[in-house]
Each structure stands twice: as C-alpha cells, then as structure tokens.
C-alpha cells in the first residue's frame, strides 16, 4: 500500500510517500514494524497520541484493519481554518 | 454548494458578492474570512501543507453535515495552501439561510470542523527558523458543542 506522511511526520521520516509491503493486520502493527526498522520511524512514531491516521483518506484509529487498504497517511493533529 | 482548495489568492469581496447573488428566499448571508496572523511582528510567512484528495473529501463531508443540520440556501468554502504572507486571506466560508441564526450557526460549525478535521497543517516561518503550529486543546473541545 502507499503510505503518506505530512507536516513534521514527513520531515522526521524524510519523505512524503513510500510503498510499503506488509503483513501487518492493523495500523498499530504496521507502526510497530516501521519503528523497529529505522531510527527515523522511531522518532516519528514515538508518541502515537500526537499522531492522527487516515485510512483511504478517512480519519481512522490505530486499531483499524489494513486488509484491502490502498492508502494510509500519518500526520499531526490538523490546523486548518 | 461550492468547495475550492487552491494555492492562488482569491478576492474575498468578489466571492462574497457572487455568493449573495441569485439566492432565492434567503434573508441572511454570513461570511467569515481567516487571515495570516502575525502575533509579534516576527512572522515572515506561513506555509500551509495539505493532503490533496483527502482535503476536498473531508471538507465536502463537513459541508454536507452542515447542510443536513441547517436549512441552507447555499454554502461556500475556499481554503488556500502554499506560502502566504502576513495579512493574506487563508480561507473563507459563506452560508445563506432564511434567517441569521441558522447562517451564523452553520458558519461557526464549518469553522470549528475545518480547523480540526480538514487535513491542513500550518508552519510559521520567522527569521529564527520554522515551526509547525500546534493544534490547541480548545479547538478540539469546540467540536463538543455540536
């Protein structure tokens, strides 16, 4: 699936988008996989309470299942308006 | 209903006038515009990042919710992204209803939700560097009243 990063999450990971192949069942499992992979992911995902996740462009929670998901995005709380 | 997400500046007065024209049976139009605020004279620019695709989808969902809650004649949301100078207009909403209470309430609802549920992120650029604007607890709490 495509994984997108925005704002300081993008800056900490160092790229806006990447293709990730995973057998993780939930968003949380994928986050754990990424954190174990490299320090920059650990830096971005250290505090999940500071992050939001969107699954196929809808806000979701970290226990959301990944089966059939095409696009996942991680970002800080939004500051629109 | 019209939703616009764009980088380019827009003419608030012309948009407000265009919105007010051609309404039928409406007695009230409320408009709000948000500007780049420079709190202490140090802001060089504001950079607004967004999530193309989700941004439009999220704003549409918020606007449809407003239409379901209030009887609106029309509704407009324009939100910019990219690099903006202090004082520039970031965004606007306009609502039309038969009476003012509905138009005001719907505009406030739109603003509360756009602030915390539309995927935009603001970064302040100053001479000392750049800093992401943190979301405020009170902005999240503002959603509870709806």
């Amino acid at each position: 699936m495509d994984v997108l990063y925005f704002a300081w999450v993008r800056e900490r990971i160092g790229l806006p988008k990447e293709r990730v192949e995973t057998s993780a069942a939930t968003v949380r499992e994928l986050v754990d996989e990424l954190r174990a992979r490299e320090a920059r992911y650990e830096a971005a995902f250290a505090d999940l309470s500071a992050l939001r996740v969107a699954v196929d462009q809808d806000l979701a929670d970290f226990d959301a299942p990944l089966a059939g998901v095409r696009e996942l995005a991680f970002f800080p709380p939004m500051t629109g308006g | 209903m019209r939703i616009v997400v764009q980088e380019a500046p827009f003419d608030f007065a012309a948009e407000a006038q265009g919105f007010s024209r051609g309404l039928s049976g409406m007695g009230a139009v409320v408009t709000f515009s948000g500007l780049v605020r420079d709190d202490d004279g140090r802001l060089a620019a504001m950079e607004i990042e967004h999530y193309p695709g989700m941004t439009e989808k999220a704003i549409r969902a918020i606007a449809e919710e407003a239409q379901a809650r209030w009887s609106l004649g029309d509704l407009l949301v324009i939100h910019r992204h990219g690099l903006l100078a202090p004082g520039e207009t970031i965004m606007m909403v306009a609502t039309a209803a038969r009476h003012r209470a509905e138009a005001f309430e719907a505009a406030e609802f739109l603003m509360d939700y756009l602030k915390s549920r539309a995927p935009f992120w603001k970064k302040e650029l100053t001479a000392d560097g750049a800093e992401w604007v943190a979301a405020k607890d009170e902005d999240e709490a503002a959603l509870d009243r709806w």
Side-chain angles (χ1 to χ4, degrees):
Chain A
M1 77 193 82
D2 288 325
V3 182
L4 283 66
Y5 310 108
F6 293 95
W8 58 255
V9 182
R10 170 179 55 71
E11 290 176 342
R12 283 186 198 176
I13 291 173
L15 78 181
K17 182 178 180 175
E18 63 184 323
R19 186 90 195 150
V20 174
E21 303 302 334
T22 180
S23 54
T26 65
V27 174
R28 196 180 300 278
E29 284 184 27
L30 175 64
V31 166
D32 289 341
E33 266 184 32
L34 293 171
R35 286 174 70 168
R37 198 188 275 183
E38 281 180 60
R40 59 198 171 105
Y41 293 101
E42 176 60 30
F45 292 117
D47 178 10
L48 289 191
S49 72
L51 288 181
R52 301 290 178 266
V53 58
V55 171
D56 285 331
Q57 304 192 350
D58 282 318
L59 282 175
D61 58 52
F62 284 87
D63 295 317
L66 289 182
V69 170
R70 285 179 301 179
E71 185 173 297
L72 196 63
F74 295 101
F75 42 79
M78 294 157 272
T79 52
Chain B
M1 172 162 84
R2 188 168 146 243
I3 291 161
V4 184
V5 178
Q6 66 180 33
E7 187 162 3
F10 62 91
D11 183 338
F12 171 73
E15 292 290 349
Q17 197 166 44
F19 180 81
S20 302
R21 262 195 220 115
L23 296 170
S24 140
M26 297 296 117
V29 167
V30 165
T31 60
F32 169 86
S33 64
L35 315 179
V36 177
R37 186 182 65 237
D38 179 7
D39 280 324
D40 51 14
R42 293 170 60 252
L43 187 72
M46 181 172 274
E47 195 171 353
I48 301 176
E49 184 170 333
H50 79 122
Y51 182 169
M54 182 177 168
T55 308
E56 293 80 359
K57 189 177 173 183
I59 297 176
R60 185 157 297 276
I62 293 166
E64 282 171 358
E65 177 67 21
Q67 283 187 318
R69 287 178 183 231
W70 293 278
S71 180
L72 302 175
D74 199 4
L75 177 166
L76 166 69
V77 178
I78 303 176
H79 203 304
R80 294 177 60 193
H81 57 89
L83 203 61
L84 282 78
E88 271 193 72
T89 304
I90 302 173
M91 55 86 64
M92 71 172 286
V93 301
T95 54
R98 286 177 57 76
H99 302 289
R100 72 173 188 269
E102 287 192 302
F104 271 117
E105 273 184 29
E108 286 218 74
F109 172 89
L110 288 170
M111 286 312 307
D112 282 348
Y113 271 84
L114 288 170
K115 198 137 197 99
S116 308
R117 291 292 182 273
F120 292 98
W121 300 275
K122 295 191 181 111
K123 190 182 204 178
E124 291 179 338
L125 312 179
T126 68
D128 299 331
E131 201 168 332
W132 290 101
V133 174
K136 296 192 190 83
D137 290 342
E138 66 215 53
D139 290 337
E140 191 62 30
L143 302 185
D144 291 344
R145 67 174 163 145
W146 306 109

